[in-house]
Amino acid sequence: MPSETTRRTSDIPEKGLPQNTIIQELEEKLQRDLTYSSGKILCSMCTNPTSFAKQIYRKYLEKNLGDPSLFPASAELEQETITMLGSLLSNPKASGSIVSGGTEANIIALWAARNLAKKERGEVIVPFSAHYSFDKASDLLNLKLIKVKLNRRFQMDVKAAEKAITSKTVAIVGVAGSTGLGVVDPIRELSEIASAHNIYLHVDAAFGGFVLPFLKELGYKPFDFDFRLPGVCSITVDPHKMGLAPIPAGGILFRDAKMSEAVSMKVPYLSGGEMKQSTLLGTRSGASAVAVWALLMHLGRAGYAAVVERCLRLTWKLVEGIQRIDGLDIVTEPTLNVVGIKSDRTDVRLIFQELRKRGWAVSLFLDYLRIVIMPHTKPSHIKRFLEDLQRILEELNS
Ligand code: PLP
């Protein structure tokens, strides 16, 4: 038997180790991970959950929504959560589930659209800016993705979308808060097209779903994107992004229960075979749903509006700072708390590398740098980031 000191990292220890030893080892091993609190993470759409949400999540870890016959109260709380999210998105009658994230939500939406359409070799029309989860969904569901060009404002080109419709189209997808630039597609026009052609319209508001509902009251330009538009059949909205919930917590909302029925399956071995599931996962976290419920109740609309207000104020502070740096500009005026930075004279890949050397995590997206200003970002982080950016530009151009 190998001793502790000769233990290979691939071995489960023959004899269990004391908790303190393990905790210490974990602290050491996980040190290389970045932390939200350092302010260095400027590329994530997730954030540090509130301490209240963490407390609730920890307390209810054992709950399994995969078997509501054992956890009926948790299942009821999940449905209350969906109703609250539905009312945030203008449809308290929405049905749906708290799922593992935006990817699962988007897969479930296209799964429902495919089953409802009952077409052979179905096609789904998405903008070029769509999240890659739609590529996964199309591969899994045997659907062909038709990627449509963007207009000058980086939104889905509506005319191109309409032209792409064929007898095989099972769904159109609009994005309300794109991953790359936080852009909102013209969902009102997409809704009209979808209704006219009797095609399923899914809106991916994984990120924007917790931001867009508050823009009007905060004095920013509002966008139509939710169930108020009659063509919208389903919406992805992720509590583990701007909803401040612990990972995993995504949300899939359908206009009505008929749509979610399209993906429901009986579970043969639970509740006498009468229980149905409408998610991709079987066993799934009840703690996630309960934590989202608790957060919605605790922060309320006003709490979320304040979070959005702070992120947007900081976003504009960042934009002003970028525009003051010689050789840098923004890709497009931000709609949400996502900013693209471009340069006409310096290779952004070099800027990216220099930022990394200084510990900043931003994304390199096509030919620009992408920054997401999340609730963990503070004014002091933006100040330091802009100072480093200025210095890097000077060094690279000297
Ligand atoms: N949709 C959009 C618009 C996103 O930005 C993302 C992730 O950033 C997703 C879907 C996928 O979400 P997740 O990573 O939670 O699966």
Side-chain angles (χ1 to χ4, degrees):
M1 184 178 85
S3 74
E4 264 179 43
T5 45
T6 59
R7 183 169 66 90
R8 292 196 310 263
T9 50
S10 55
D11 288 340
I12 297 175
E14 191 56 40
K15 191 165 164 287
L17 306 174
Q19 291 179 7
N20 274 346
T21 312
I22 296 166
I23 290 170
Q24 202 182 330
E25 189 168 338
L26 279 175
E27 284 293 307
E28 282 161 23
K29 279 187 185 297
L30 296 176
Q31 237 173 29
R32 271 186 308 116
D33 285 356
L34 301 193
T35 60
Y36 295 115
S37 58
S38 70
K40 294 282 188 176
I41 300 182
L42 288 174
C43 57
S44 177
M45 288 186 150
C46 293
T47 191
N48 204 0
T50 70
S51 51
F52 178 59
K54 287 186 200 170
Q55 180 193 333
I56 300 290
Y57 186 82
R58 266 198 304 269
K59 182 153 188 210
Y60 298 112
L61 269 177
E62 69 185 37
K63 304 216 180 269
N64 172 18
L65 285 174
D67 192 346
S69 67
L70 301 182
F71 301 98
S74 300
E76 207 172 300
L77 275 189
E78 182 190 27
Q79 284 319 301
E80 284 185 28
T81 309
I82 292 299
T83 301
M84 284 194 273
L85 290 177
S87 84
L88 182 70
L89 302 174
S90 311
N91 179 15
K93 294 205 171 107
S95 82
S97 309
I98 297 298
V99 294
S100 58
T103 300
E104 187 185 353
N106 287 338
I107 291 170
I108 292 173
L110 294 198
W111 186 12
R114 188 200 66 173
N115 288 1
L116 287 165
K118 298 188 177 75
K119 288 178 185 170
E120 288 290 306
R121 296 200 303 268
E123 296 175 353
V124 177
I125 300 169
V126 301
F128 259 105
S129 53
H131 188 260
Y132 74 98
S133 48
F134 291 103
D135 294 272
K136 288 186 183 175
S138 77
D139 196 21
L140 285 166
L141 296 164
N142 203 17
L143 293 167
K144 184 174 173 196
L145 271 200
I146 310 291
K147 295 194 180 180
V148 160
K149 68 176 180 178
L150 306 182
N151 65 22
R152 278 188 299 127
R153 280 177 293 167
F154 302 93
Q155 298 167 304
M156 187 180 205
D157 183 317
V158 178
K159 282 209 178 91
E162 187 162 25
K163 247 173 117 178
I165 295 173
T166 70
S167 59
K168 292 183 189 156
T169 307
V170 303
I172 301 174
V173 173
V175 184
S178 64
T179 313
L181 288 168
V183 164
V184 181
D185 287 330
I187 310 291
R188 174 175 287 282
E189 283 95 319
L190 292 178
S191 165
E192 284 162 12
I193 293 171
S195 298
H197 293 265
N198 197 21
I199 292 171
Y200 188 103
L201 174 62
H202 173 64
V203 175
D204 181 2
F207 186 72
F210 270 95
V211 182
L212 294 163
F214 305 104
L215 292 186
K216 192 168 173 202
E217 68 202 63
L218 295 173
Y220 292 92
K221 184 181 164 216
F223 290 86
D224 294 324
F225 77 104
D226 65 13
F227 289 113
R228 214 169 301 182
L229 302 173
V232 173
C233 298
S234 54
I235 302 180
T236 289
V237 51
D238 280 359
H240 73 198
K241 295 189 170 69
M242 282 296 283
L244 296 158
I247 297 168
I252 177 66
L253 269 68
F254 291 96
R255 176 172 288 279
D256 56 50
K258 263 200 318 278
M259 290 171 178
S260 54
E261 270 291 305
V263 291
S264 81
M265 293 215 175
K266 279 193 179 168
V267 188
Y269 65 98
L270 298 177
S271 305
E274 285 313 306
M275 203 203 78
K276 284 181 172 179
Q277 278 181 0
S278 309
T279 51
L280 205 54
L281 303 190
T283 298
R284 61 195 179 94
S285 166
S288 292
V290 176
V292 177
W293 185 93
L295 262 174
L296 293 173
M297 296 297 279
H298 180 59
L299 292 178
R301 274 194 71 101
Y304 279 109
V307 169
V308 171
E309 202 265 335
R310 194 178 157 279
C311 289
L312 290 178
R313 209 163 5 95
L314 267 187
T315 300
W316 281 96
K317 208 178 158 70
L318 172 72
V319 167
E320 284 159 22
I322 289 162
Q323 288 175 327
R324 275 199 295 271
I325 299 176
D326 209 20
L328 290 186
D329 204 352
I330 52 169
V331 175
T332 185
E333 199 170 278
T335 307
L336 308 178
N337 34 333
V338 184
V339 181
I341 306 176
K342 63 179 182 180
S343 177
D344 52 5
R345 65 179 94 129
T346 314
D347 184 345
V348 288
R349 277 170 304 186
L350 296 178
I351 306 176
F352 172 82
Q353 282 162 12
E354 290 302 317
L355 283 169
R356 264 282 159 169
K357 281 186 204 158
R358 288 163 167 84
W360 295 107
V362 303
S363 337
L364 187 57
F365 226 88
L366 307 170
D367 54 354
Y368 65 89
L369 302 175
R370 163 189 174 267
I371 309 284
V372 190
I373 300 297
M374 292 297 287
H376 58 262
T377 314
K378 295 186 179 148
S380 58
H381 302 140
I382 299 293
K383 184 168 173 285
R384 253 181 288 145
F385 175 71
L386 287 167
E387 285 165 2
D388 275 355
L389 204 51
Q390 167 101 47
R391 235 170 272 137
I392 289 168
L393 261 283
E394 283 166 8
E395 281 166 22
L396 289 174
N397 291 317
S398 64

